[in-house]
Amino acid sequence: FDIVSEDAEKYHTYLSCYMLNKKILASNVFYLSVSHNKKNLEKYFKCLNNFFIFVNKCEKKILDINQYLNTPVRSSKFQRLN
């Protein structure tokens, strides 16, 4: 999925951190595996739904995404590390 917002990169960064705190490795791309069971999927979609509720509140200016980021915002630009 893609989030159409000027804060999209911030939301994607927050999603990764939020899901990691829930012990889920996730990004804006979902890959289903035969090893996923119903319990895994229910947990993932519940957390993802909560994330979308959060984004909605941020977009309505009820919450401020900047107050919830504790890591640098991811970059969509590829750069060499060396």
Side-chain angles (χ1 to χ4, degrees), residues 25-57:
L25 184 59
S27 71
N28 62 316
V29 179
F30 177 74
Y31 296 102
L32 185 62
S33 167
V34 293
S35 64
H36 290 121
N37 59 37
K38 185 175 181 176
K39 184 179 176 183
N40 297 141
L41 295 175
E42 286 174 351
K43 180 180 178 182
Y44 174 81
F45 287 117
K46 180 181 178 184
C47 291
L48 190 62
N49 187 57
N50 289 337
F51 167 74
F52 286 133
I53 290 169
F54 172 79
V55 170
N56 188 13
K57 288 180 180 179

Side-chain angles (χ1 to χ4, degrees), residues 3 5-12 58-59 61 65-66:
I3 298 173
S5 169
E6 64 183 38
D7 290 327
E9 295 301 321
K10 293 177 182 179
Y11 294 135
H12 288 297
C58 289
E59 288 296 300
K61 307 295 185 206
I65 182 65
N66 296 308

